[in-house]
Amino acid sequence: MTIESGSAQPGCIDTGAVAALGDMVIGPEHKALPPAAWGRTVREFVSGAPHLDELQTPVFTLDRAALDTNIAVMADWAATAGVRLAPHGKTTMAPRLWAEQLAAGAWAITVATGWQAQVARSFGVNRIVLANAFLDPIGLRWAASESALDPDFELISWVDGVDAVALMERALADAPDGVRLPVLVELGGPHGRTGARSVEEALAVAAAVRSSTRLELTGVGGYEGVFAHDRAVESLSAVDDYLENLARLHRALAGSYARRAIVSAGGSAFPDLAVEHLAPLADEHGVHGVPTSVVLRSGAYVIHDDGYYAGISPLSEGRGLRSAMHAWARVLSRPEPGLALLDAGKRDMPFDEGLPVPQRLSDAHVSALADQHAFLRLSGDSALAVGDVVRLGLSHPCTAMDKWRLIPVVDDADAERPRVVDLVHTFF
């Protein structure tokens, strides 16, 4: 089933606010950018068409061609599958990239905390999924106030316990009249993360939401990625079981939704399984009851990687997604045969889902990271010399961009001398 264009409006963002980021002045707080750039605006620096080798090392880059490809591939895939995208914005915390995802048809931007929602709202995002319990009273009152001020703004959060419903109700006691915040009942599972541990417990939470004067039952949601970390048969079975329970919870709540329903899953590592189990529930026009949207919150696809997601996503090789991130590090020392020390470490690169992988080098691997060093193991006859720059493939975009405030975007990371065509701001 392909989603018809116009059957539901995509999310919006203030493109003027995003464009204004080009007026930010570069300074020494922006890692890797050269002193020659300090005091210049982003727009001024980029207009000079600098090359990557004019920046300092270590440096983390995004690849413009790969970003464009990844955004288009995922948008087309989701539309063909009959599901909507609410990309997880916490992966990048980059309004510029959010704007591109929304322009490609994304239905919303997802975040994980109230503060992240406030950042997104400050850039005019009009539909936000907060894929987490939203219990901070200050944040809840802000959301209620924002909803009262702008009827087109919507923040959809999660709740997984009757006690959490009561807490939200108390925090919103003085909210403007008529404001009801939409919530999804979160389903988890044994040994999972948050979420009601069974469909029966989740139904009790839904009943509490229906009794609330400040919340509106809007659907069900959860995260299947916590139940498996590979594509072994038993791992896929665990994900299948979880997604089927999520579908069962939604079906059990048929008739309980006031205006519409949302069924939401993660969709980065197992988008195929999410679609298999949940896409049949989509009913955008309410032909069989309340209008229902199936929403995937895939976050990793826009950056993708050369590690965890490259190995687990069915949209990798042959389906279009490719890594849009690299690190570039300089050899500082060759203190002994078979070892080079690079000037990039834990402060600069992700390492929780696998160590960086040297590219364009044969018979080499990174064995360990220190705060500011990488231990690169080499064959005994390697000609790599002190001062050489090594390109590194990275794993796990969710822990990559938080280390950089202003990220150079190159035209093509495979070019002999990549050019810097943009600088992406992050808000971590």
Side-chain angles (χ1 to χ4, degrees), residues 172-420:
L172 294 168
D174 297 324
D177 290 342
V179 171
R180 293 168 67 95
L181 297 185
V183 295
L184 306 185
V185 174
E186 182 190 1
L187 181 68
H191 313 297
R193 210 162 59 183
T194 52
R197 286 321 200 226
S198 68
V199 169
E200 291 68 31
E201 290 179 20
L203 290 173
V205 178
V209 173
R210 288 199 303 272
S211 298
S212 169
T213 60
R214 291 298 187 180
L215 305 177
E216 179 179 285
L217 181 63
T218 305
V220 300
Y223 175 51
E224 70 283 358
V226 75
F227 298 102
H229 212 66
D230 55 41
R231 284 191 166 258
V233 172
E234 59 272 18
S235 298
L236 297 180
S237 178
V239 173
D240 283 333
D241 289 346
Y242 170 75
L243 290 169
E244 190 49 47
N245 279 333
L246 189 63
R248 183 161 69 91
L249 173 60
H250 168 70
R251 289 191 292 265
L253 290 172
S256 299
Y257 304 117
R259 297 178 294 122
R260 47 84 191 266
I262 296 166
V263 181
S264 180
S268 282
F270 305 102
D272 51 336
L273 300 186
V275 162
E276 177 184 340
H277 290 274
L278 304 181
L281 303 175
D283 184 8
E284 294 285 349
H285 300 290
V287 174
H288 303 294
V290 65
T292 301
S293 297
V294 173
V295 177
L296 300 189
R297 307 181 309 278
S298 313
Y301 77 89
V302 65
I303 305 297
H304 203 52
D305 68 12
D306 282 310
Y308 175 68
Y309 285 107
I312 200 169
S313 172
L315 303 182
S316 291
E317 288 298 324
R319 298 293 294 275
L321 295 185
R322 58 194 182 98
S323 180
M325 64 176 180
H326 300 90
W328 310 72
R330 193 177 306 275
V331 178
L332 296 179
S333 176
R334 290 294 313 269
E336 60 188 62
L339 175 64
L341 275 300
L342 308 182
D343 64 355
K346 294 179 180 178
R347 305 277 186 180
D348 313 297
M349 305 180 290
F351 54 92
D352 59 318
E353 290 287 358
L355 292 172
V357 177
Q359 298 177 329
R360 304 171 175 170
L361 287 175
S362 60
D363 195 18
H365 70 280
V366 173
S367 62
L369 294 181
D371 283 356
Q372 303 289 178
H373 296 91
F375 291 74
L376 179 62
R377 304 294 174 176
L378 302 160
S379 61
D381 59 352
S382 174
L384 192 68
V386 169
D388 287 349
V389 174
V390 177
R391 191 179 88 174
L392 297 162
L394 306 174
S395 179
H396 202 204
C398 297
T399 53
M401 295 182 65
D402 60 325
K403 298 168 177 61
W404 297 83
R405 295 184 184 184
L406 200 55
I407 301 175
V409 181
V410 297
D411 55 353
D412 181 359
D414 291 327
E416 184 176 350
R417 247 194 121 194
R419 281 195 180 273
V420 178

Side-chain angles (χ1 to χ4, degrees), residues 18 20-26 30 42 92-97 123 401 404-407 422-428:
V18 174
L21 292 172
D23 298 324
M24 178 178 286
V25 176
I26 299 168
H30 298 120
V42 167
T92 64
M93 286 303 292
R96 173 62 178 273
L97 298 182
F123 281 90
M401 295 182 65
W404 297 83
R405 295 184 184 184
L406 200 55
I407 301 175
D422 200 359
L423 297 173
V424 166
H425 299 73
T426 65
F427 291 78
F428 284 98

